[in-house]
Amino acid sequence: MTPKMDTTEPILFVLSIDTEEEWEWGEAFPQQDANVSNIDNIPAFQKVCEGLGLRPTYFVDYAVADNPQAVEHILPLVPEGNCEIGAHLHPWCNPPFFGPVGEFESHVVNLPKEQVSQKLENLVKKLEQSFSIKPKSFRTGRWGIDKKVMSLLIEQGFNVDSSVYPFYENEYFHCNGSPSLPYWPDLDYPLKVSSQQMIYELPVTVGFNRSNFELANKIHTAFTKPPLSWTRFNG
Ligand SMILES: [Zn+2]
């Protein structure tokens, strides 16, 4: 008898972690002195990853990069080369500040280009100072990307973005129609594929555990909005 060959293709994936402050999500967005004590657990988490042969990407935000104790936990991991430090932009705790931050202002895509530009510049500088690295990968806080953010990422020397959240939509933006596998995004409309090769898009992995993806997506979308959302069917 011939032994059964395993013809399953290996699954290649990237593990990325939004490395950020913690707070009660139903409360106001923290601006200064955010709680980053959750970062104390990164060294233990990194050990687990290394045990599994994984090299995670930590998308670090300003609140973490600006906190000496949090930096102390992450910094020793960097020269070992078993992880990558990327950038994560939370507009509410990333200077300069432009007034109170509500739901609208918490989404990077809703902010004027000039504000995003200044915040991103500060974030990159802070990561360079704290970790002696130049971040090459990026994710927006609360997801979503547009032409304006894409152009700023290229200006700052990023070559990977991971802000696309396939099938997701809210009142400010959507990622409908985006590929669900990595692609070269159109710089004018990042949800579409193009031939540029300056920046690569790694959409976050999402999907439905149903074989009819299209139908599952339609049902899911219908239940996110009134008149059906009250049923909490999606939950
Ligand atoms: Zn975040």
Side-chain angles (χ1 to χ4, degrees):
M1 219 168 91
T2 348
K4 216 175 161 191
M5 291 272 287
D6 184 5
T7 51
T8 322
E9 290 220 16
I11 297 175
L12 297 177
F13 68 96
V14 173
L15 177 67
S16 59
I17 298 104
D18 293 2
T19 310
E20 57 192 36
E21 69 286 356
E22 54 181 342
W23 80 102
E24 193 60 61
W25 284 7
E27 289 174 10
F29 292 99
Q31 219 166 47
Q32 259 135 359
D33 302 320
N35 179 8
V36 293
S37 56
N38 52 333
I39 304 302
D40 297 356
N41 298 303
I42 293 277
F45 175 76
Q46 175 68 26
K47 272 212 179 77
V48 172
C49 290
E50 287 175 18
L52 295 168
L54 297 173
R55 293 200 293 173
T57 293
Y58 296 103
F59 288 121
V60 178
D61 86 340
Y62 194 94
V64 171
D66 191 40
N67 182 292
Q69 198 191 328
V71 170
E72 212 173 283
H73 286 304
I74 301 173
L75 192 56
L77 311 176
V78 179
E80 291 173 12
N82 292 326
C83 65
E84 178 197 1
I85 305 295
H88 187 41
L89 180 56
H90 275 187
W92 51 92
C93 58
N94 194 127
F97 300 112
F98 301 92
V101 175
E103 186 65 25
F104 179 87
E105 296 83 8
S106 73
H107 289 275
V108 177
V109 287
N110 287 346
L111 302 176
K113 186 172 182 179
E114 191 42 44
Q115 289 188 15
V116 182
S117 169
Q118 292 182 46
K119 284 175 183 287
L120 186 64
E121 204 182 310
N122 274 347
L123 174 60
V124 169
K125 265 192 208 140
K126 184 54 75 178
L127 290 168
E128 286 173 351
Q129 279 167 8
S130 300
F131 300 106
S132 305
I133 51 102
K134 174 114 182 92
K136 303 301 258 178
S137 55
F138 176 84
R139 177 175 291 151
T140 51
R142 313 205 67 201
W143 310 102
I145 186 144
D146 57 9
K147 177 183 174 175
K148 149 193 84 194
V149 179
M150 220 21 131
S151 69
L152 292 170
L153 292 182
I154 289 172
E155 265 172 39
Q156 287 288 340
F158 287 94
N159 57 22
V160 174
D161 174 67
S162 185
S163 305
V164 170
Y165 181 176
F167 305 105
Y168 182 71
E169 67 173 285
N170 65 26
E171 59 185 297
Y172 306 114
F173 71 93
H174 69 81
C175 294
N176 295 332
S178 77
S180 50
L181 293 174
Y183 63 100
W184 295 105
D186 187 316
L187 301 181
D188 287 332
Y189 189 73
L191 301 178
K192 264 181 21 195
V193 179
S194 83
S195 55
Q196 66 78 28
Q197 295 203 341
M198 281 182 287
I199 189 159
Y200 197 50
E201 181 62 46
L202 259 96
V204 68
T205 307
V206 293
F208 298 97
N209 55 355
R210 297 283 181 278
S211 51
N212 193 334
F213 228 67
E214 286 280 300
L215 180 66
N217 190 32
K218 277 185 191 145
I219 294 172
H220 178 90
T221 308
F223 276 91
T224 56
K225 299 171 194 162
L228 295 173
S229 50
W230 69 271
T231 61
R232 296 179 180 252
F233 175 76
N234 287 338

